[in-house]
Amino acid sequence: MSVFLNKRAKGKLRIEKPSQKPFLFHQKLPEYKITPLISLKSLAKNLKIGNIWVKDESNRLGLPAFKILGASWAVYRNIEEKFNIHSENNENFPEFIKKIKKIPSITLITATDGNHGRAVARIAKLYSWNAKIFMPEGSKEARINAILSEGAQVIIVKGDYDLAVQEAAKLESKLNWVIQDTAYENYEKIPKWIIEGYSTLCWEIDNQLSHSKIDLIFIQIGVGSLASAIIKFYKHENYNESPKILGIEPLGVACAKESVKAGKIVTINGPYNSIMAGLNCGTISKISWPLILAGIDGFIEVSNDFAIKGMKTFSNDGIISGETGASGLGGLLELTEQDNGKLFRHQFNLNENSNVLIFSTEGATDPDFYNNEIKKSNIFEKKYLKSC
Ligand SMILES: Cc1ncc(COP(=O)(O)O)c(C=O)c1O
């Protein structure tokens, strides 16, 4: 496995400056705390890389994935726009909720492969609203049940994630808000706000690393909204020393890489063999496409075996990470296994002083699968089961 290098990638981009407003909003939400940034010291030493930093999103605002950062901000921005109600600087969240009680009840609707849908359902619960979540055929029971546990209705479509997106889109109306994390024809505003919401990850990391230099970032790509947030932050023309960014996609579901190769958005139809549910998207988001084309320096297709290797390696360091969450580390492991990673090291100028950043974007969102793979791992039993 090697990196597909994107010859059209640029070092810096002339784009809108990321705002701190979502970060300030998130800090008001119940259960907000900064998520850990962990240094994988022994792995870095073994791989002869200065530092491998991991942003651990296994508990974000009480949910086991980063996705609620986007959903919460997009719904808030829609409330502002539709009802002219704001969360004022000097106001806490319960005060904001009181104002929300005065508007008609809304139903939030989206498609999901698990994490985004649960996040939307949690936001609906927070405002005492309803949620309708569309999921692809073959979605894991654990992920369906997690969404049902938020009080949402789940609809399984007879097809893949792209079909779920289309079905959800049909329900948009005045009091039925479609909160999808992917943009398509005439649907861009909400996904743009979702991308803005994800920038909280970067503001936190900037504080945690005291602005020290990052050389290379591994970022998972499903529809590309998360990657867009990373690109917008780190490749902004005002950012000090922009890192290189590698996009992680599952083997056989590399719709971003194939789009870059073709020079236009390409769809990869399901069914897919990948266990990385969060990345099993056939088409990248319309608004992410120009950012990915200009901002992702290379692409890696990660195999299921290496996603599992990533999970196990994380668990050795006490990080609980599901199949999608660990695919970034899986990609690094896959690249360094081959020819001792010589080519990869050379391509990205990596050495014992380099700082690499990886995102563990979820916890064990399919606990049975996780448990089976990690086998009797003490970490799972002690840490994860306690927090369920
Ligand atoms: C855990 C996890 N990581 C990464 C991603 C990829 O995010 P995006 O679809 O914005 O590219 C997803 C998407 O669902 C996810 O659930």
Side-chain angles (χ1 to χ4, degrees):
M1 204 261 304
S2 57
V3 179
F4 168 75
L5 293 173
N6 175 14
K7 294 201 178 85
R8 286 189 253 193
K10 299 189 171 84
K12 299 257 185 214
L13 303 179
R14 284 199 169 178
I15 43 178
E16 198 188 336
K17 199 171 173 205
S19 150
Q20 285 218 0
K21 281 186 185 162
F23 184 30
L24 297 174
F25 170 76
H26 288 138
Q27 290 172 51
K28 289 187 174 186
L29 291 178
E31 295 193 60
Y32 173 82
K33 62 179 185 320
I34 190 165
T35 57
L37 185 72
I38 298 162
S39 168
L40 301 184
K41 290 203 173 70
S42 59
L43 184 67
K45 202 170 165 206
N46 286 345
L47 298 182
K48 299 190 175 67
I49 293 171
N51 282 297
I52 300 174
W53 293 104
V54 181
K55 185 70 169 160
D56 176 4
E57 291 297 303
S58 59
N59 183 0
R60 173 59 81 175
L61 294 162
L63 291 184
F66 72 99
K67 288 259 161 177
I68 192 165
L69 293 173
S72 58
W73 178 246
V75 173
Y76 170 70
R77 288 289 289 111
N78 220 32
I79 292 170
E80 281 198 315
E81 199 174 277
K82 296 260 163 49
F83 293 104
N84 199 21
I85 294 176
H86 310 274
S87 169
E88 307 296 346
N89 285 348
N90 57 354
E91 191 181 66
N92 62 27
F93 202 67
E95 286 168 313
F96 177 64
I97 295 265
K98 265 192 214 153
K99 295 198 267 190
I100 297 298
K101 298 272 184 238
K102 293 184 186 143
I103 64 175
S105 177
I106 307 289
T107 298
L108 300 181
I109 296 156
T110 192
T112 189
D113 33 49
N115 293 320
H116 173 66
R118 185 167 181 195
V120 169
R122 172 64 63 93
I123 297 300
K125 193 158 92 176
L126 197 63
Y127 295 137
S128 308
W129 293 345
N130 297 313
K132 253 185 209 166
I133 311 295
F134 289 78
M135 297 185 79
E137 208 170 21
S139 293
K140 290 279 192 81
E141 213 176 308
R143 297 196 172 104
I144 298 171
N145 288 339
I147 294 171
L148 291 171
S149 78
E150 303 293 339
Q153 183 190 352
V154 172
I155 298 125
I156 308 287
V157 302
K158 286 202 164 60
D160 59 17
Y161 173 80
D162 284 9
L163 181 69
V165 170
Q166 289 161 25
E167 290 300 312
K170 289 178 190 164
L171 298 190
E172 176 79 52
S173 70
K174 205 169 164 204
L175 299 180
N176 285 331
W177 292 359
V178 174
I179 308 294
Q180 315 236 52
D181 58 359
T182 188
Y184 36 86
E185 217 49 49
N186 300 321
Y187 186 80
E188 295 191 0
K189 209 185 271 180
I190 297 279
K192 178 175 171 275
W193 288 332
I194 287 177
I195 292 171
E196 285 174 10
Y198 294 159
S199 67
T200 286
L201 291 163
C202 308
W203 291 113
E204 286 182 354
I205 293 167
D206 238 26
N207 290 340
Q208 287 167 309
L209 282 180
S210 314
H211 311 276
S212 56
K213 186 177 177 249
I214 302 167
D215 299 286
L216 180 63
I217 298 178
F218 286 72
I219 195 67
Q220 291 90 329
I221 302 179
V223 294
S225 294
L226 172 62
S228 298
I230 302 302
I231 294 164
K232 284 179 112 175
F233 194 89
Y234 291 105
K235 291 228 167 165
H236 188 272
E237 59 187 331
N238 290 352
Y239 195 80
N240 236 358
E241 288 180 88
S242 292
K244 297 270 186 205
I245 304 178
L246 282 180
I248 299 283
E249 298 186 282
L251 189 60
V253 202
C255 62
K257 172 182 142 181
E258 293 306 329
S259 299
V260 166
K261 263 183 165 176
K264 59 176 191 205
I265 295 181
V266 165
T267 293
I268 297 184
N269 292 313
Y272 311 116
N273 272 332
S274 139
I275 58 170
M276 292 154 260
L279 310 184
N280 287 343
C281 310
T283 315
I284 52 167
S285 173
K286 191 167 167 260
I287 56 171
S288 294
W289 164 235
L291 287 163
I292 284 175
L293 184 64
I296 297 282
D297 296 280
F299 295 86
I300 313 164
E301 286 189 52
V302 176
S303 64
N304 288 341
D305 286 352
F306 271 88
I308 292 170
K309 240 184 197 176
M311 284 163 60
K312 291 183 176 164
T313 307
F314 270 145
S315 89
N316 293 337
D317 267 286
I319 300 170
I320 294 155
S321 185
E323 310 85 277
T324 301
S327 56
L329 178 58
L332 172 65
L333 296 174
E334 207 160 351
L335 285 174
T336 46
E337 184 154 281
Q338 208 176 333
D339 78 351
N340 239 342
K342 264 192 204 149
L343 175 63
F344 160 62
R345 260 178 247 278
H346 173 71
Q347 281 170 329
F348 290 93
N349 207 11
L350 282 187
N351 56 46
E352 276 143 356
N353 297 317
S354 307
N355 287 317
V356 170
L357 174 63
I358 291 176
F359 289 82
S360 173
T361 50
E362 64 173 355
T365 50
D366 182 359
D368 284 345
F369 182 82
Y370 185 87
N371 211 7
N372 279 339
E373 292 302 330
I374 303 294
K375 295 265 161 58
K376 323 243 170 342
S377 155
N378 281 337
I379 294 153
F380 178 79
E381 277 156 24
K382 280 190 200 147
K383 277 199 172 167
Y384 190 74
L385 290 181
K386 232 193 230 171
S387 68
C388 280

